[in-house]
Amino acid sequence: MIRLRSFLNTAQLYALLVILCITPSSRAARDDTIPEPDPFADPKNDPYNPLRYIPSDTLTAIALVLYLATAGVMFYNIWKWGAKYMLYIPIGALCMCFGLAIRFAFARNPHSLGIYIGTHMFVVLSPCAFIAAVYVLLGRLVGHLRMDKYLFIKSTKVTKIFVTSDVVTFLIQAGGGGISASRSTSSRELGEKLFVVGLILQIVSFIFFCILFAVFMYRLHHNRPDVWNYQRYQGVPWHSDWKIVAASLVVSCIGIIIRSFYRVAEGAQGFGGPLATNEGLFYALDTYPLLIAIAVYIPFWPGRILEESTRPSESQSNFKRVADDDGERGTPRSRHMEMNSFLPQRHTGGQR
């Protein structure tokens, strides 16, 4: 896990270097043959305004406060309940806050390509951290239940495989997003295509993850009703049952998918298309779906429900299969009695 975090930090540093290297060349590519108009007179038709609109300070402030509050509460939850593996989300939320805050500067200087690159890169790339947290959480959930055998891939490898794909697509999007901000038509088109390729690869990886998650839940529900109905058998409140974490994961996946398809459609149209130049759609299909995708974990914090440390490899020893000689599943009653002895008890507090 330490190596994985080091890999992520290296990727973020590399992306920053990509941005810094691209910014000077983008400015140099500016076409000064077109007279620079008043930036506030007609932003919709202003060739020097990448967004083709002046960002609303009110909308920006609302989104900024919501993301900042979400990050703050999550840091508190980590301190109180544990689940340090969820740090990806509040850190990503702070990056989103930084990107939104830069929009205030862009609203006052809409011809600044450097400011645009800053806000664009932080807003577009911060969801990669949210996706990484979702990948990690599934492995933790499976490990908590000791149900590793119902996954296509071992839960110990889920995080490594999918987070690695997330880092790779992150770098592709970082490079493409920076190049697309160029004033040069050829460079801009290349950057847009590269950015869309990164998004498509990220969506393919994420959809495969969602299929993996859905099949796991189906298999668990079909083969282990004792585990599925743990809340009913043990009298655990619904808001402290493992299935509420799974439900939160579903909501998070939906929000991420909405945002991802929006960004792909935006890239397919080009960054001067109707999707990219509509501020309302930016908030409705990007900013707030992602906010819901991360805020859903606040009332159902995984560190309060799942074990802080799990060993997925013990799934075979912690859960004995109840079956007769013909290989049929045991009765719900027999499974319930066995489960009382082996299922991890409800987690009431995390490690600080």
Side-chain angles (χ1 to χ4, degrees):
M1 193 64 185
I2 295 176
R3 292 181 179 178
L4 184 61
R5 289 179 178 173
S6 178
F7 184 30
L8 286 173
N9 291 334
T10 302
Q12 292 169 357
L13 177 60
Y14 183 83
L16 181 59
L17 292 175
V18 169
I19 297 171
L20 293 176
C21 291
I22 288 173
T23 301
S25 62
S26 298
R27 288 176 176 174
R30 178 168 176 157
D31 186 1
D32 292 326
T33 61
I34 302 176
E36 186 170 342
D38 182 348
F40 304 101
D42 186 15
K44 186 176 181 180
N45 298 305
D46 185 354
Y48 289 94
N49 184 339
L51 290 179
R52 299 297 194 274
Y53 64 83
I54 305 299
S56 167
D57 284 350
T58 301
L59 295 179
T60 301
I62 292 173
L64 177 60
V65 169
L66 290 175
Y67 269 95
L68 193 59
T70 299
V73 174
M74 285 188 163
F75 279 122
Y76 172 78
N77 281 353
I78 292 172
W79 174 79
K80 183 175 179 61
W81 301 106
K84 293 180 180 179
Y85 52 86
M86 296 295 286
L87 272 171
Y88 293 106
I89 293 183
I91 291 175
L94 290 181
C95 291
M96 177 68 84
C97 288
F98 194 65
L100 290 171
I102 299 176
R103 287 172 70 89
F104 287 116
F106 183 79
R108 286 148 183 79
N109 190 2
H111 287 177
S112 173
L113 192 57
I115 295 177
Y116 168 74
I117 292 175
T119 183
H120 178 74
M121 298 300 279
F122 278 103
V123 168
V124 169
L125 296 178
S126 58
C128 293
F130 306 156
I131 295 174
V134 170
Y135 291 155
V136 173
L137 183 56
L138 177 60
R140 290 285 179 161
L141 177 62
V142 175
H144 172 77
L145 296 174
R146 312 297 200 269
M147 293 289 106
D148 191 79
K149 62 181 179 179
Y150 294 118
L151 276 176
F152 291 129
I153 306 171
K154 288 185 178 181
S155 60
T156 53
K157 296 183 179 180
V158 168
T159 299
K160 294 180 181 179
I161 292 174
F162 285 102
V163 173
T164 299
S165 71
D166 192 43
V167 170
V168 172
T169 57
F170 168 88
L171 295 176
I172 295 174
Q173 292 176 68
I179 296 173
S180 65
S182 174
R183 300 287 184 185
S184 170
T185 302
S186 59
S187 297
R188 184 169 61 249
E189 291 177 352
L190 174 63
E192 290 175 358
K193 291 178 181 178
L194 188 61
F195 180 78
V196 172
V197 167
L199 277 174
I200 291 175
L201 291 176
Q202 187 180 63
I203 290 178
V204 170
S205 175
F206 193 72
I207 288 177
F208 181 75
F209 169 83
C210 291
I211 293 173
L212 181 74
F213 176 41
V215 171
F216 167 75
M217 295 296 287
Y218 171 78
R219 287 178 171 180
L220 191 61
H221 178 266
H222 181 72
N223 295 299
R224 295 302 299 262
D226 54 332
V227 178
W228 189 268
N229 297 311
Y230 174 63
Q231 173 197 357
R232 184 177 63 186
Y233 290 148
Q234 297 293 324
V236 176
W238 67 271
H239 54 79
S240 296
D241 183 40
W242 68 266
K243 289 197 294 293
I244 198 63
V245 176
S248 300
L249 199 56
V250 171
V251 173
S252 190
C253 288
I254 292 173
I256 291 172
I257 288 175
I258 291 173
R259 175 265 176 187
S260 297
F261 278 105
Y262 161 73
R263 285 297 181 180
V264 168
E266 175 194 60
Q269 290 182 351
F271 289 102
L275 288 178
T277 58
N278 188 310
E279 187 174 20
L281 292 179
F282 164 70
Y283 286 106
L285 298 178
D286 184 285
T287 308
Y288 288 117
L290 287 175
L291 180 64
I292 294 172
I294 62 175
V296 67
Y297 296 113
I298 291 178
F300 313 115
W301 190 248
R304 183 177 58 83
I305 300 171
L306 306 182
E307 289 184 316
E308 182 71 15
S309 178
T310 59
R311 295 181 181 179
S313 60
E314 296 179 356
S315 59
Q316 298 296 328
S317 60
N318 285 347
F319 280 95
K320 296 178 181 178
R321 182 186 173 103
V322 178
D324 57 21
D325 294 337
D326 294 328
E328 295 180 356
R329 287 179 293 148
T331 63
R333 175 61 179 172
S334 62
R335 282 184 167 278
H336 166 50
M337 293 177 64
E338 180 190 8
M339 184 176 171
N340 289 339
S341 301
F342 295 100
L343 190 66
Q345 296 301 309
R346 181 166 60 94
H347 189 52
T348 56
Q351 298 177 1
R352 294 187 181 180

